[in-house]
Amino acid sequence: VAVTAIAPELIPEIAPLVTPEPTTTPGVTPKVEPTAPEPVATLDAEPVEEPAAAPKVPDFQAEEEVSGEAADFADYMDRGDAHAAKGLYDLAINAYTSAMRLEPMDADVMRRRGNTYVLSGQYDRAISDYDVALDLSPGDFLTLNNRGQAFLAKNLLDRAIADYNAALRVQPNDLEALKNRGDALTAKGSHDLAIADYGAALALDANNFTVIKARGNAYWAKGLFGRAIADFNRAIAINDRDFELFKVRGNAFQAQGL
């Protein structure tokens, strides 16, 4: 997408913002906490029927104590987490799907399978899982933030911003959600609002490399080359192996006639 990081709780960032040549006004594309998503994995599992709305969540705890299904459910969840961490997304999805058959009303497993769909680039399936998870657990911060990442990856910017707004109402000082909303606002061309979100995120972590770089790109897109250079300098001081930063800083110097 992290989204707070997902493995599998949050989603990695969308691919880093790309700065155009200085002869044109740059536009910043969404990133998702760094490269394009992995190729879509082929799933062996059969589609799972989404849980129907129920007036009352069944008392699974009592049933598990008799049937012993709790251990099986936890095992599938652990397998799913382990596979996702290794990038074995098809196996992770199969494991989460098996867990869902045992506990169809569990919002956490729906969210984790949704996270894995995002990691594998299957954004529509991810959004469907997040929709069900939010029906089961309305207002869940992680699910709102992660669904926002899926919308951002699909360039559905207004829907992404709406989810980030809802997530930030739950946790107003979450750095990841502030940065994510800043990325969506940047992609929409609302650079002042994006810069404000990046500033709020940096108030929480002044040396966050990805936020400093993102704000530099927003300054660049707005034509504030001096401020962009200042942020690029800060970012390079933290990570001098990001060669794109040297390129965009050089472009900013050229734009200033330096």
Side-chain angles (χ1 to χ4, degrees), residues 50-75:
E50 293 187 353
K56 182 180 178 182
V57 176
D59 183 5
F60 284 109
Q61 184 175 1
E63 181 181 341
E64 291 158 5
E65 290 173 356
V66 176
S67 66
E69 287 184 354
D72 293 333
F73 174 79
D75 181 56

Side-chain angles (χ1 to χ4, degrees), residues 75-210:
D75 181 56
Y76 282 127
M77 292 287 278
D78 289 342
R79 290 182 194 178
D81 292 350
H83 290 318
K86 294 177 181 178
L88 303 173
Y89 301 132
D90 55 340
L91 296 178
I93 290 167
N94 288 343
Y96 292 135
T97 300
S98 295
M100 288 167 54
R101 290 196 179 100
L102 298 177
E103 295 230 22
M105 304 296 288
D106 188 272
D108 185 44
V109 67
M110 295 298 303
R111 181 180 65 248
R112 293 192 193 197
R113 193 176 71 168
N115 293 345
T116 311
Y117 279 136
V118 168
L119 290 168
S120 64
Q122 301 182 76
Y123 302 118
D124 289 328
R125 290 186 175 187
I127 290 166
S128 294
D129 274 2
Y130 292 143
D131 288 344
V132 175
L134 286 169
D135 286 340
L136 295 170
S137 182
D140 181 76
F141 168 79
L142 291 176
T143 308
L144 287 167
N145 182 69
N146 295 358
R147 189 175 68 176
Q149 291 294 79
F151 283 136
L152 180 55
K154 286 175 62 67
N155 204 38
L156 298 173
L157 302 179
D158 288 333
R159 298 183 73 177
I161 291 167
D163 271 353
Y164 298 140
N165 288 343
L168 286 164
R169 282 193 291 271
V170 179
Q171 294 191 26
N173 295 318
D174 185 84
L175 184 149
E176 190 69 24
L178 285 166
K179 183 192 180 299
N180 291 342
R181 187 173 67 179
D183 292 341
L185 289 165
T186 296
K188 192 176 180 181
S190 301
H191 301 302
D192 288 330
L193 293 174
I195 289 166
D197 271 352
Y198 294 141
L202 289 172
L204 300 170
D205 181 1
N207 295 315
N208 187 289
F209 171 80
T210 58

Side-chain angles (χ1 to χ4, degrees), residues 230-252:
D231 272 352
F232 294 148
N233 286 340
R234 287 179 62 188
I236 288 170
I238 296 170
N239 177 10
D240 61 2
R241 295 180 179 274
D242 188 327
F243 298 110
E244 180 194 354
L245 277 171
F246 290 95
K247 178 181 177 181
V248 295
R249 185 178 66 174
N251 292 342

